[in-house]
Amino acid sequence: VSISIKLIIMESTEASAVYDFLEILLEHQKNCEKQGKYVEAEIAKNRAEELKLHEENRRREELRAKHIKERLGLEESHMADFKEKNDEHDKKMANYELLAEELVESMKQRHIAELKEFQNKIEDKQIKPKLSKELLNLRKIQETLAKRKDYAEAHKMKLKADALEVFEMEKWQTIKQQELLQREAQFKHLKQQELSALQKKIQSDREKLKKERHLAIERLLQKYQNVKSELEAQQNLEKVRLEKLVQSGIFNNTKLFGKSNSKRR
């Protein structure tokens, strides 16, 4: 029997006491057998069997409790790691969402200022409308009639010219307004494209963060599965070792236990 097996079997004070008592029972059984006290020998033998069976079961239960504790410890460790990763990612996502919101709002405010500046530049660049030849001709006739002192005809011509000028100004204002709206629409479209590009990049970065989280969780889960498999393999090996000890009858080897116990004492 190897030293490692001895250490496994002799790991507790309770076990030491059990084997001390078992050694006494077996020795008593032998003495009774030599002296022909078979009834007492039978009692000692039965009691020894009960003790060995009790110890075997105690060992199994002790190992089972140890394995449960190890598995619970692994589960708790895994859940702690999982929570830490989740909290870390949640914080990272929250910080990014704040940054994204600031970037979008900053761009929107910049676009508002740029649109105002654009509108002011258009208004500053507006030139007075060019009068039509017909209107210029009416004004010339009006002035000529006035110089001739033909005020009645000059007044008629003025009314006609004024009406034509109002018409031409309204037409010019309508055209300029349409041009302004069109240029503003083009300007706004460019700014909307810029904003959409930013939002698209934000969404892309958001998906990258989600993917990073998914990969991190997958790696954590794989690590857990690997450690769990190693632990199960180790625990199965310990179960096999214990059952081999039981099957080999090592619990009957009182010399081994007695020697170990005497050293412990």
Side-chain angles (χ1 to χ4, degrees):
V1 180
S2 66
I3 296 176
S4 61
I5 295 177
K6 292 179 182 179
L7 292 176
I8 293 173
I9 297 177
M10 299 305 303
E11 64 186 0
S12 68
T13 304
E14 181 182 351
S16 177
V18 167
Y19 289 111
D20 284 344
F21 186 47
L22 179 60
E23 184 177 8
I24 292 173
L25 280 174
L26 293 177
E27 186 65 28
H28 178 64
Q29 176 187 343
K30 289 180 181 179
N31 290 333
C32 288
E33 180 182 337
K34 290 178 181 179
Q35 297 172 14
K37 299 178 180 179
Y38 300 123
V39 174
E40 292 185 19
E42 180 68 19
I43 293 173
K45 185 187 74 169
N46 292 338
R47 181 56 180 150
E49 292 296 330
E50 289 175 1
L51 266 180
K52 286 185 286 183
L53 180 60
H54 170 77
E55 181 61 15
E56 290 170 4
N57 290 334
R58 190 190 68 81
R59 289 288 179 174
R60 291 189 181 100
E61 182 58 28
E62 185 179 72
L63 185 61
R64 189 181 73 85
K66 172 178 173 292
H67 287 174
I68 290 175
K69 183 178 180 181
E70 289 173 346
R71 289 196 294 270
L72 288 176
L74 176 60
E75 291 289 343
E76 290 174 359
S77 175
H78 171 66
M79 292 306 296
D81 290 343
F82 184 79
K83 184 178 183 303
E84 181 181 356
K85 284 293 180 184
N86 267 336
D87 291 346
E88 179 184 331
H89 182 78
D90 288 344
K91 183 177 179 181
K92 193 172 183 180
M93 281 297 295
N95 290 337
Y96 181 76
E97 291 299 338
L98 286 176
L99 174 61
E101 185 177 348
E102 290 175 0
L103 290 173
V104 171
E105 184 60 26
S106 176
M107 179 173 285
K108 287 181 178 179
Q109 293 301 320
R110 178 167 60 82
H111 286 175
I112 292 174
E114 289 176 351
L115 177 60
K116 185 64 177 177
E117 183 181 357
F118 176 77
Q119 291 170 335
N120 291 336
K121 285 182 178 180
I122 292 178
E123 291 176 0
D124 292 341
K125 288 181 179 179
Q126 284 185 358
I127 58 175
K128 292 182 178 180
K130 186 177 179 180
L131 302 178
S132 67
K133 291 181 179 181
E134 181 182 0
L135 180 56
L136 292 172
N137 187 49
L138 289 175
R139 292 300 185 191
K140 188 175 181 181
I141 295 172
Q142 172 191 331
E143 291 174 1
T144 301
L145 290 171
K147 288 178 181 180
R148 292 177 182 178
K149 310 302 181 183
D150 190 352
Y151 297 125
E153 289 298 323
H155 178 68
K156 290 179 183 179
M157 194 56 61
K158 181 179 182 299
L159 292 177
K160 186 176 181 180
D162 288 347
L164 180 59
E165 185 174 353
V166 170
F167 171 77
E168 289 185 357
M169 284 297 296
E170 288 178 350
K171 183 179 179 181
W172 179 82
Q173 288 288 350
T174 300
I175 293 173
K176 286 301 177 182
Q177 185 66 22
Q178 290 176 346
E179 289 179 354
L180 176 61
L181 292 175
Q182 184 177 5
R183 293 182 66 180
E184 280 189 8
Q186 292 174 345
F187 181 86
K188 290 179 179 178
H189 179 67
L190 290 175
K191 296 307 172 182
Q192 183 58 44
Q193 285 182 323
E194 184 180 2
L195 180 61
S196 296
L198 174 61
Q199 291 172 330
K200 185 176 181 180
K201 182 179 183 304
I202 289 173
Q203 182 60 28
S204 176
D205 291 342
R206 187 180 289 120
E207 292 300 324
K208 286 180 181 178
L209 288 175
K210 290 180 179 179
K211 186 175 181 180
E212 285 179 8
R213 176 179 190 170
H214 179 70
L215 291 175
I217 295 301
E218 277 193 342
R219 286 193 294 268
L220 186 62
L221 182 59
Q222 185 60 53
K223 176 185 176 182
Y224 166 71
Q225 292 296 341
N226 292 340
V227 175
K228 183 180 179 182
S229 295
E230 292 176 3
L231 179 62
E232 288 176 348
Q234 176 186 334
Q235 290 183 345
N236 287 333
L237 183 59
E238 290 176 354
K239 288 179 183 178
V240 170
R241 285 175 177 172
L242 178 59
E243 292 306 319
K244 283 184 176 179
L245 288 175
V246 172
Q247 295 298 324
S248 67
I250 195 168
F251 292 102
N252 294 327
N253 195 336
T254 56
K255 292 182 179 180
L256 170 63
F257 300 127
K259 189 181 295 184
S260 300
N261 292 343
S262 63
K263 291 180 180 179
R264 290 168 63 94
R265 290 192 293 270

